[in-house]
Amino acid sequence: MPALDFDTDPSRYRHLRLEIDGPVARIVLATDEAAGVSPGYELKLNSYDLGVDIELHDAVQRLRFEHPEVRAVVITSGLDKVFCAGANIRMLAQADHAWKVNFCKFTNETRGAIEDAGAESGQAYLAAVNGNAAGGGYELALACDEIIMVDDGSATVSLPEVPLLAVLPGTGGLTRLVDKRGVRKDLADVVATRSEGVRAKTALAWGLVDAIAPPSKFADTVQRRAQAAAERSHRSPGGPGITLERLDRSVNDDEIAYPHVTAGLDRAAGLVTITVRGPRQDAPAGMAGARDQGAAFWPLAVTRELDDLILWLRTNETELGTWLIKTSGNSEAVLGYERLLAGALRTDWLADEIKSLTKRTLKRLDVTSRSLFALIEPGSCFAGPLLELALACDRQFMLNGQWDGDVGPQAGLAPAAVFLSAANFGAFPMANGLTRLASRFLGDPGHVAKLEQHTGRPIGAEEALDLGLVTFAPDDLDWDDEIRIVCEERASLSPDALTGMEANLRFAGPETCETKIFGRLTAWQNWVFTRPNASGPEGALRRYGTGQAGIFDRKRT
Amino acid sequence: MPALDFDTDPSRYRHLRLEIDGPVARIVLATDEAAGVSPGYELKLNSYDLGVDIELHDAVQRLRFEHPEVRAVVITSGLDKVFCAGANIRMLAQADHAWKVNFCKFTNETRGAIEDAGAESGQAYLAAVNGNAAGGGYELALACDEIIMVDDGSATVSLPEVPLLAVLPGTGGLTRLVDKRGVRKDLADVVATRSEGVRAKTALAWGLVDAIAPPSKFADTVQRRAQAAAERSHRSPGGPGITLERLDRSVNDDEIAYPHVTAGLDRAAGLVTITVRGPRQDAPAGMAGARDQGAAFWPLAVTRELDDLILWLRTNETELGTWLIKTSGNSEAVLGYERLLAGALRTDWLADEIKSLTKRTLKRLDVTSRSLFALIEPGSCFAGPLLELALACDRQFMLNGQWDGDVGPQAGLAPAAVFLSAANFGAFPMANGLTRLASRFLGDPGHVAKLEQHTGRPIGAEEALDLGLVTFAPDDLDWDDEIRIVCEERASLSPDALTGMEANLRFAGPETCETKIFGRLTAWQNWVFTRPNASGPEGALRRYGTGQAGIFDRKRT
């Protein structure tokens, strides 16, 4: 199958319509049945596959950058009697395990972006459930700030995954029922085992939806609530939208290159070396200058490229298990851009959106099932926001001193330094609600306060080691061997064990709805996916639609 | 294989010695290599299997009830140069999936009981790591309040599961490193991928242990710290210990019976009907009377029986997937015992211990991978602590009205009522730190305060339904059919999907180290256990010790 591309735009949508009407936008889901991303299934009843979700992801992103006037977004269906039937079951049944897991992760991230839009961007999402919302369809509604359901005596919301497919409502469904909406666990148990679902009045009584309306009043009710949500919005002012132009990406067998990000692929070693480049010029004096640069404005451009690269590598390069993350450029320039954006927060929507996109991209890295090692070398610019990249990694290696020798492009570069800035103390919380530094020093919270006194100045390798910002700081004599050995060691370990280990070590501290979805719920779903009761030849997921029920090993585990 | 029995006592131990020396006790681990609970492996190097852990569980429990004078417990090894090598690898390699998962759950619960002893009973645990502590061996130490390690230039602590076996340190290891001890995630990453482990000085520097001492000073250091811990203890006073006599349990093919608890087994339907009986007599006037009754004292006896039954059914009856939980007896008598115990808390160790055991038993129910339905019928006594049993269930069914007909033992019984009491508002927190009521009404915290005004009086079916205490309240006409249908429906669902679903719905709200271990870490471990990279014929777990390395599918998932 050809590489899957996450970069799209409305002109290429097959499954969604994006309608803008002043402060209220509508995302209308009407899947093209014949346009599945893989062969072998039809996207009936507004069921979705990764292709549909790529469009949804793009629409959610684009609304934030291209339509600053939008303050509420209605998700609804363009079909009659059907809101959304969830993930396409035949697609799931035929997909291999890694595909299912990666697909679920991306859909979960997009639902998280929907919640983030309401909380951070002042773009509240309302699900206008104008027909049956089943499984992932109802889970999509659950990710919205409000759910308005048509009370027509036939429409239902349902989570039929357990009874029909022997898998979980794993796109946040179980977690959002009890944790986000506070549905009683016994009622949630009923909902999640009743394949026929729940009609509007019961759905409202049980807290599964926020409002219901008969068909004659449904459109009005939705519109009124959307207007009200738009009026409550705290979206920052600022100029017109920024067009998110198509990414400039070139791909060949051993490199993926964007203007500011490059990934070198070493298939024999199972390695990717990602280099993120700092800005080529200093930050403009104000946000007007940023707006003039549009999508080429460095903080926006570099983040979009990195986000796209993460998705590309996750989906298309599953056997490259270790990512080495480097930066190159001028730290002071990086910090200049940070100051510009930080100074405009909450007064300029573009500054808000860039910060929020950076946060989401860093979170995407946090939940990426690859081993992440930061390599901090002379010429790098791990400063402020880019230092977060290093802190997201499983380990940080920093070269102590200069490169040896006096030839080549590395000769004469000053020793590496990292820079702490305000960006490291609150701007980019992880899914657990803590900064990466607070998560790192969970056992010594006072240390974070101490680190705050070291912002804005270069911190060399020995001091960084002493401050606990890096794991190891070999000198030039040892560097190559140490990195080579650690990469070889990593490549020798079981990919599954590493995924499980990293998922547990990366999220110390408190849990949130979000960490529960990516940690607990996802882990159980992955387990359930591997079990013969779901995915075996006689499992319910594989047999769905054949007229034969799944045959189960009755042993409870 | 014969049914496994969790009821033991020190006279039958094969693997532990229990030494009492005033306020300090020692649990000395010296496994009998030939006494594995299954054939096919030898318990070398203090490695453990379920049989060893049953003894450890018994010792931890017994110290609390039989030795009120003990205020600190040292866990150490009776072998030279080896503390504990963790779970026996050959045992794990040959065990089927359900066995591994059940084994890990029980070992996790016992490590939780060790932590609970320090926090609740004033019996702090100290791990005296007098030799290599590998994998589950180091995880056992991590569950202790303090870890003292010998600094002899050779002893190491290590978590070699990922590099050697392609599984996780799943007995709390990963979670306790970063969440309990606050070890930096990058250092934890190094520890969990370095099979040779870490020697004492580095272990101390990285926060893996609390103290180190050379061999010449090791015993003194341990003794001094144990004495200090004993002196800090808040253990309540009270009389001498209570002997935990052997449980009076009879087992046949369709029933397991204890004096206060009976389980009827319906293999065709996959059902267990558990009946917990209230006290036969009123509570004594004071704790002296309770002490006179010893292990026969109703709250202690009924809880020990229920705890044993849960373990028995989990291990020996894996295909009975639904448990129906009933009670029978007098609610006022139940509440009388509760008042006696509540009045003596923090002034009488026995009252403290019974409360704490009840809490742990309820938690064992919470993490049991069986569907739990409470049946609240006329003649039942779901009052206070016993109401917690119903609240732990996935659903609560309460008969509305009396049984029809005027013959048989049920005739003339008054309609069922439940009783709220102080026990439901704080005495028995779940692993998430919340009461079962607070977890149930997470979306409406004010409702819990409202419920508090309804303590101490009978609440009938309609009111219980209205208050949200029960899920459904059918009358006698519908009762039998409704229960039969719901049990048949449940039995038709995939056991794995139910396990995953229940694990997500039962723990709304905040997460703790404990919920992370049973939720996130366990789920990932279960997933890893099913993966061919670990458990396939060429997987690392299966190949360990053969001289052949595991062969891995390199795809990252």
Side-chain angles (χ1 to χ4, degrees):
Chain A
M1 150 165 198
L4 209 79
D5 190 347
F6 289 77
D7 190 27
T8 187
D9 65 70
S11 73
R12 289 182 281 165
Y13 288 178
R14 303 286 300 265
H15 307 293
L16 303 184
R17 293 198 311 271
L18 200 52
E19 302 172 352
I20 314 289
D21 179 15
V24 176
R26 287 160 53 92
I27 297 175
V28 181
L29 186 63
T31 52
D32 179 345
E33 294 186 4
V37 84
S38 308
Y41 53 87
E42 295 180 332
L43 295 174
K44 293 190 174 173
L45 302 172
N46 265 349
S47 62
Y48 59 78
D49 66 356
L50 187 51
V52 177
D53 237 57
I54 286 173
E55 294 184 9
L56 181 61
H57 167 252
D58 183 74
V60 173
Q61 189 96 300
R62 211 164 279 279
L63 280 169
R64 298 172 80 158
F65 282 96
E66 301 194 348
H67 300 282
E69 76 281 13
V70 168
R71 288 156 183 258
V73 183
V74 174
I75 297 188
T76 193
S77 160
L79 306 191
D80 192 36
K81 297 283 178 195
V82 172
F83 175 73
C84 171
N88 186 277
I89 297 168
R90 286 180 190 280
M91 176 277 290
L92 280 180
Q94 75 184 39
D96 73 12
H97 184 66
W99 179 272
K100 280 200 283 283
V101 170
N102 188 56
F103 164 70
C104 289
K105 182 175 288 178
F106 178 67
T107 59
N108 269 320
E109 288 174 318
T110 301
R111 275 111 199 105
I114 286 173
E115 286 179 332
D116 186 69
E120 296 281 319
S121 293
Q123 283 187 344
Y125 273 70
L126 297 89
V129 178
N130 53 342
N132 290 331
Y138 177 47
E139 290 178 296
L140 175 59
L142 281 168
C144 294
D145 297 285
E146 295 182 42
I147 308 175
I148 304 124
M149 181 179 181
V150 67
D151 181 13
D152 62 358
S154 80
T156 58
V157 294
S158 64
L159 294 173
E161 287 89 341
V162 170
L164 294 187
L165 309 174
V167 302
L168 304 183
T171 314
L174 295 175
T175 307
R176 287 201 176 88
L177 273 190
V178 294
D179 271 285
K180 178 181 180 181
R181 298 191 65 87
V183 173
R184 262 169 44 203
K185 73 165 183 177
D186 57 329
L187 299 176
D189 181 283
V190 173
V191 173
T193 55
R194 184 185 281 183
S195 56
E196 68 272 25
V198 172
R199 289 208 186 83
K201 289 186 180 66
T202 304
L204 184 66
W206 289 6
L208 307 178
V209 302
D210 296 290
I212 62 176
S216 62
K217 296 182 181 165
F218 185 69
D220 275 357
T221 304
V222 170
Q223 184 62 18
R224 201 180 60 245
R225 293 184 74 112
Q227 291 284 358
E231 279 159 27
R232 288 193 303 270
S233 164
H234 55 69
R235 191 154 171 82
S236 299
I242 295 285
T243 301
L244 295 183
E245 279 149 19
R246 195 157 184 178
L247 292 170
D248 173 14
R249 179 185 56 215
S250 69
V251 177
N252 62 42
D253 196 52
D254 56 11
E255 188 180 83
I256 302 164
Y258 309 78
H260 307 89
V261 178
T262 307
L265 315 182
D266 181 344
R267 297 181 191 286
L271 282 180
V272 181
T273 302
I274 298 171
T275 303
V276 177
R277 283 183 289 282
R280 296 195 190 91
Q281 55 193 46
D282 284 344
M287 286 305 293
R291 198 164 272 106
D292 287 346
Q293 295 177 32
F297 182 52
W298 175 77
L300 177 55
V302 73
T303 308
R304 284 183 71 212
E305 293 169 12
L306 182 61
D307 204 43
D308 185 72
L309 177 67
I310 295 170
L311 292 171
W312 179 285
L313 290 173
R314 275 193 199 166
T315 308
N316 300 314
E317 298 291 351
T318 54
E319 298 205 357
L320 306 181
T322 303
W323 294 0
L324 305 176
I325 298 186
K326 302 184 180 191
T327 56
S328 78
N330 182 304
S331 291
E332 293 294 351
V334 172
L335 295 173
Y337 279 85
E338 184 205 341
R339 280 191 299 273
L340 167 64
L341 290 171
L345 282 181
R346 297 284 165 220
T347 60
D348 185 296
W349 67 263
L350 180 58
D352 294 348
E353 290 304 340
I354 291 171
K355 168 177 177 267
S356 197
L357 176 63
T358 308
K359 180 190 72 175
R360 293 198 302 281
T361 300
L362 288 164
K363 283 186 183 183
R364 215 192 276 290
L365 203 52
D366 291 331
V367 298
T368 291
S369 56
R370 302 292 189 277
S371 294
L372 307 174
F373 295 152
L375 302 188
I376 306 171
E377 300 170 330
S380 65
C381 55
F382 283 102
L386 291 188
L387 182 59
E388 290 291 302
L389 286 178
L391 295 171
C393 288
D394 299 301
R395 303 187 194 178
Q396 300 75 29
F397 297 85
M398 187 165 180
L399 186 88
N400 188 358
Q402 293 182 275
W403 293 118
D404 196 20
D406 53 0
V407 290
Q410 297 174 330
L413 286 175
V418 298
F419 288 75
L420 290 164
S421 81
N424 310 114
F425 297 90
F428 306 114
M430 297 173 60
N432 63 6
L434 301 182
T435 63
R436 285 177 185 74
L437 283 177
S439 298
R440 185 177 183 89
F441 298 107
L442 194 71
D444 184 10
H447 190 64
V448 178
K450 186 178 152 199
L451 289 172
E452 214 157 354
Q453 298 163 12
H454 294 273
T455 55
R457 63 168 188 80
I459 299 174
E462 282 175 27
E463 191 181 6
L465 191 66
D466 189 48
L467 291 172
L469 295 172
V470 302
T471 319
F472 298 112
D475 63 18
D476 174 71
L477 215 60
D478 295 327
W479 181 263
D480 285 349
D481 274 352
E482 185 154 338
I483 303 303
R484 181 182 52 76
I485 288 168
V486 81
C487 291
E488 285 173 2
E489 276 178 359
R490 205 71 170 190
S492 76
L493 302 180
S494 158
D496 308 319
L498 289 175
T499 293
M501 181 187 82
E502 290 154 5
N504 279 281
L505 294 182
R506 289 181 188 169
F507 297 93
E511 298 245 5
T512 62
C513 205
E514 191 176 339
T515 62
K516 280 188 176 183
I517 289 169
F518 286 100
R520 172 187 289 252
L521 180 60
T522 293
W524 284 110
Q525 178 76 306
N526 292 356
W527 176 72
V528 169
F529 274 155
T530 64
R531 301 283 286 161
N533 285 346
S535 299
E538 298 178 330
L541 182 60
R542 293 278 291 279
R543 281 196 162 180
Y544 182 77
T546 66
Q548 291 184 293
I551 295 179
F552 298 140
D553 176 352
R554 305 263 24 126
K555 205 180 276 177
R556 261 294 197 131
T557 302
Chain B
M1 145 164 204
L4 210 81
D5 191 348
F6 289 76
D7 190 27
T8 187
D9 66 70
S11 73
R12 290 182 280 165
Y13 288 177
R14 303 285 301 265
H15 308 292
L16 304 183
R17 292 196 314 269
L18 199 53
E19 303 172 351
I20 315 289
D21 180 17
V24 176
R26 286 159 52 92
I27 296 175
V28 181
L29 186 62
T31 52
D32 179 345
E33 293 186 4
V37 84
S38 308
Y41 53 87
E42 295 180 332
L43 295 173
K44 292 189 174 172
L45 302 173
N46 265 349
S47 63
Y48 59 79
D49 66 357
L50 187 51
V52 177
D53 236 57
I54 286 173
E55 294 184 8
L56 181 62
H57 167 252
D58 182 74
V60 173
Q61 188 94 301
R62 212 166 278 280
L63 281 168
R64 298 171 79 157
F65 282 97
E66 300 193 348
H67 299 283
E69 76 280 13
V70 168
R71 288 155 182 261
V73 183
V74 174
I75 297 187
T76 194
S77 160
L79 305 191
D80 192 37
K81 297 281 178 197
V82 173
F83 176 71
C84 171
N88 187 278
I89 297 167
R90 286 180 190 278
M91 178 277 291
L92 280 180
Q94 74 184 40
D96 72 14
H97 184 64
W99 178 273
K100 281 202 281 278
V101 171
N102 189 56
F103 164 72
C104 290
K105 183 175 288 177
F106 178 68
T107 58
N108 268 321
E109 289 174 318
T110 300
R111 274 110 199 107
I114 285 172
E115 286 180 333
D116 185 69
E120 295 282 319
S121 294
Q123 284 187 343
Y125 274 71
L126 298 88
V129 178
N130 53 342
N132 291 332
Y138 176 49
E139 289 178 297
L140 175 59
L142 281 168
C144 294
D145 299 285
E146 296 181 40
I147 308 175
I148 305 124
M149 182 179 180
V150 67
D151 181 13
D152 63 359
S154 82
T156 58
V157 293
S158 63
L159 293 174
E161 287 89 340
V162 170
L164 294 187
L165 309 173
V167 300
L168 304 182
T171 314
L174 294 177
T175 308
R176 287 202 175 87
L177 272 189
V178 292
D179 272 285
K180 178 181 179 179
R181 298 192 64 89
V183 173
R184 259 170 45 203
K185 73 165 184 177
D186 58 327
L187 299 176
D189 181 284
V190 173
V191 173
T193 54
R194 183 186 281 182
S195 56
E196 67 272 25
V198 172
R199 290 208 186 83
K201 289 185 179 67
T202 304
L204 184 65
W206 289 6
L208 307 177
V209 303
D210 297 291
I212 61 175
S216 62
K217 295 183 181 167
F218 185 69
D220 274 358
T221 303
V222 170
Q223 184 63 19
R224 198 178 63 247
R225 294 183 74 109
Q227 291 284 356
E231 280 160 28
R232 287 192 303 269
S233 163
H234 55 69
R235 191 154 170 82
S236 299
I242 296 285
T243 301
L244 295 181
E245 279 150 19
R246 194 158 184 179
L247 292 169
D248 173 13
R249 178 185 56 215
S250 70
V251 177
N252 62 44
D253 197 49
D254 56 10
E255 189 181 83
I256 302 163
Y258 308 79
H260 307 89
V261 179
T262 307
L265 315 182
D266 181 343
R267 296 182 193 284
L271 283 179
V272 181
T273 303
I274 297 172
T275 304
V276 177
R277 281 182 290 281
R280 295 195 191 90
Q281 57 192 46
D282 284 344
M287 286 305 293
R291 201 163 271 107
D292 286 346
Q293 295 177 31
F297 180 54
W298 176 77
L300 177 54
V302 73
T303 308
R304 284 183 70 213
E305 292 169 14
L306 182 61
D307 204 44
D308 185 71
L309 176 66
I310 295 169
L311 292 171
W312 180 283
L313 290 173
R314 272 194 201 166
T315 309
N316 301 313
E317 299 291 352
T318 53
E319 299 205 356
L320 305 182
T322 303
W323 294 0
L324 304 177
I325 298 188
K326 302 184 180 191
T327 57
S328 78
N330 182 305
S331 289
E332 292 295 350
V334 172
L335 295 174
Y337 279 86
E338 186 206 337
R339 281 191 298 274
L340 168 64
L341 290 170
L345 283 180
R346 297 282 164 222
T347 61
D348 184 297
W349 67 262
L350 181 57
D352 293 348
E353 291 303 340
I354 292 172
K355 170 177 176 267
S356 196
L357 176 61
T358 307
K359 181 190 71 175
R360 294 198 302 281
T361 300
L362 287 165
K363 283 186 184 182
R364 214 192 276 290
L365 204 52
D366 292 330
V367 298
T368 290
S369 57
R370 301 293 188 278
S371 294
L372 308 173
F373 295 153
L375 302 188
I376 306 173
E377 300 170 332
S380 66
C381 55
F382 283 102
L386 291 189
L387 181 59
E388 290 291 303
L389 287 179
L391 295 172
C393 288
D394 299 300
R395 301 187 195 178
Q396 301 75 28
F397 297 85
M398 187 165 183
L399 186 85
N400 187 358
Q402 292 183 276
W403 294 118
D404 195 21
D406 54 0
V407 291
Q410 297 175 330
L413 287 174
V418 300
F419 287 75
L420 290 163
S421 80
N424 309 115
F425 297 90
F428 306 114
M430 297 173 60
N432 62 5
L434 301 182
T435 64
R436 284 176 188 75
L437 284 178
S439 297
R440 186 178 184 86
F441 298 106
L442 194 70
D444 185 9
H447 190 64
V448 178
K450 186 179 152 198
L451 289 172
E452 213 157 355
Q453 297 163 12
H454 294 272
T455 56
R457 63 167 187 82
I459 298 173
E462 283 176 25
E463 191 181 4
L465 191 64
D466 188 50
L467 290 172
L469 295 172
V470 302
T471 319
F472 298 112
D475 62 17
D476 173 70
L477 215 61
D478 295 329
W479 181 265
D480 284 351
D481 274 353
E482 184 154 339
I483 303 303
R484 181 182 52 75
I485 288 169
V486 80
C487 289
E488 286 174 5
E489 275 178 1
R490 205 74 170 189
S492 76
L493 302 180
S494 159
D496 308 319
L498 288 175
T499 292
M501 181 187 82
E502 291 154 4
N504 280 282
L505 294 182
R506 289 181 188 169
F507 297 93
E511 298 245 3
T512 61
C513 204
E514 193 175 337
T515 63
K516 280 189 176 181
I517 290 169
F518 286 100
R520 173 186 289 254
L521 179 61
T522 292
W524 283 109
Q525 178 75 307
N526 292 357
W527 176 72
V528 169
F529 274 157
T530 64
R531 301 283 286 161
N533 285 347
S535 298
E538 297 178 331
L541 182 60
R542 294 278 291 280
R543 281 195 161 179
Y544 183 76
T546 66
Q548 290 183 292
I551 295 179
F552 298 140
D553 176 354
R554 305 267 18 131
K555 203 181 278 178
R556 261 296 194 127
T557 303

